[in-house]
Amino acid sequence: MATIRLAMGTILVPAMIERGYPRHFALGVVGASGTIGIVIPPSLSLILYGLIAEQSVPRLFLAGIMPGLLQAAMFFGWVFYYSHKYELPREPSVPRAELVRMSLNALPALCVPFIVMVGIYGGLMTVTEAAAVSATVALLVSLFFYRGFKVSQTLEVIAEAIKSAATIMIIVATALAFGHWMTDSGIPASLVKFTLDNQLHPWQFLLAINVLLLVLGCFLEVAATLLVVMPILAPALKPLGIDPVHFAIVFTHNMEIALVHPPVGLNLYVLATISTAPVTEVVRGVLPFLGLLLLCLAIITYVPQLSLWLPNLVYGAG
């Protein structure tokens, strides 16, 4: 996930700044939008949840669609409002012939995400192999199709890419090391046990778990949080009348928010690194989206039909 945010951020943030968008706004849009992939299928987090909680992965995928669209609609509304209020730059209308030419010109670049998606989800490559192949394809496309640099500059470009990737990997490695320490310390399990021992009503339980997951998500990666928390929480869901498919979306949305939650959200530091902006400026740009994410979390938590309507429509009531 960090490498995807790195790739998108290095392209989109400079492009937005070049066109006259405020840097904090560009960072906020890219940082917040980068969270939506965790709930929109195909989501690796939902696959892992399905395995741990023994739930149908196709049902979980369908459950993530409506909440994901709600989040996207909220972000769209805020960007639309902000852009009009502050009269941000608009792209000029493009003639149809030019639009066709630009679309055809973009096809080679679109091969990169296509290779990744087909390779991973088609079972042709592992994630690591897909990353290596896509990097090679991107290099060849840039070199021979778009001619963004000369052959003699290849090593210089690769060195710059390694430098950027290494910086992000240090951040990720530190976060993972801290997460492992947290897990070994038993603190997350103790927090979960404390929450369960207080015999809360379903709405109180969900509120407490949301707070707990927002805290844990700041320190643990998604997989670690799932592995630590879900085996303890799963048995408590049925007695409280909470649908595990609904809870999966509540859980993953919390993990989305944790990525941009100050002071230690991973997206904040990734964007600060690739843009050379202070973390405080990234936080300033992300704050409005953080408010929308929390509102979306409240709706997802207490309107379970938003998550359950589509899977129940397709597969019947679970």
Side-chain angles (χ1 to χ4, degrees):
M1 293 296 292
T3 53
I4 294 173
R5 291 188 287 271
L6 170 63
M8 296 304 296
T10 52
I11 296 171
L12 295 178
V13 173
M16 292 178 71
I17 295 174
E18 183 181 344
R19 285 164 172 75
Y21 292 91
R23 184 167 69 169
H24 73 275
F25 177 73
L27 292 167
V29 170
V30 174
S33 299
T35 65
I36 198 169
I38 197 174
V39 71
I40 290 288
S43 165
L44 293 177
S45 299
L46 289 177
I47 293 173
L48 186 56
Y49 180 98
L51 293 174
I52 295 173
E54 299 181 348
Q55 296 297 312
S56 165
V57 173
R59 184 181 283 271
L60 293 175
F61 280 176
L62 289 176
I65 292 176
M66 296 304 294
L69 292 176
L70 173 64
Q71 180 184 335
M74 285 183 169
F75 285 2
F76 174 84
W78 169 253
V79 170
F80 186 83
Y81 164 77
Y82 189 94
S83 300
H84 276 264
K85 181 179 179 180
Y86 294 100
E87 299 181 350
L88 298 185
R90 299 184 181 183
E91 291 293 310
S93 299
V94 179
R96 181 173 298 180
E98 179 66 11
L99 182 62
V100 172
R101 188 195 66 80
M102 292 170 61
S103 299
L104 292 174
N105 192 51
L107 286 178
L110 293 175
C111 287
V112 178
F114 180 79
I115 288 171
V116 173
M117 295 296 292
V118 173
I120 294 175
Y121 296 110
L124 303 175
M125 316 172 194
T126 65
V127 174
T128 305
E129 291 168 346
V133 171
S134 61
T136 303
V137 172
L139 179 64
L140 294 176
V141 167
S142 299
L143 190 58
F144 298 111
F145 186 85
Y146 294 112
R147 302 183 185 277
F149 54 92
K150 299 177 182 178
V151 176
S152 59
Q153 297 175 300
T154 302
L155 290 179
E156 181 182 341
V157 170
I158 293 175
E160 187 65 28
I162 292 174
K163 179 182 176 182
S164 299
T167 304
I168 301 301
M169 288 304 103
I170 291 173
I171 296 173
V172 173
T174 303
L176 288 174
F178 186 76
H180 285 304
W181 175 82
M182 284 280 289
T183 303
D184 292 339
S185 70
I187 294 174
S190 299
L191 289 173
V192 174
K193 186 176 184 300
F194 174 81
T195 304
L196 294 176
D197 287 346
N198 280 275
Q199 299 180 344
L200 304 175
H201 294 291
W203 73 268
Q204 295 172 323
F205 172 83
L206 288 171
L207 179 60
I209 292 302
N210 278 337
V211 174
L212 173 66
L213 291 177
L214 287 174
V215 173
L216 292 181
C218 288
F219 303 100
L220 301 176
E221 55 148 357
V222 179
T225 309
L226 276 167
L227 292 170
V228 170
V229 173
M230 275 314 299
I232 305 171
L233 288 182
L237 298 180
K238 188 175 181 180
L240 288 170
I242 298 172
D243 192 297
V245 174
H246 168 228
F247 188 76
I249 307 306
V250 173
F251 191 103
T252 51
H253 193 74
N254 271 287
M255 296 299 98
E256 288 184 71
I257 299 175
L259 292 172
V260 293
H261 196 293
V264 288
L266 181 58
N267 275 17
L268 304 178
Y269 292 92
V270 170
L271 287 168
T273 300
I274 64 179
S275 64
T276 66
V279 175
T280 51
E281 186 175 352
V282 182
V283 172
R284 177 190 169 197
V286 163
L287 278 180
F289 296 96
L290 181 59
L292 293 174
L293 283 167
L294 291 171
L295 175 60
C296 189
L297 174 62
I299 295 172
I300 291 171
T301 301
Y302 295 110
V303 186
Q305 282 305 311
L306 181 68
S307 304
L308 298 177
W309 173 74
L310 194 54
N312 287 347
L313 180 68
V314 176
Y315 294 107

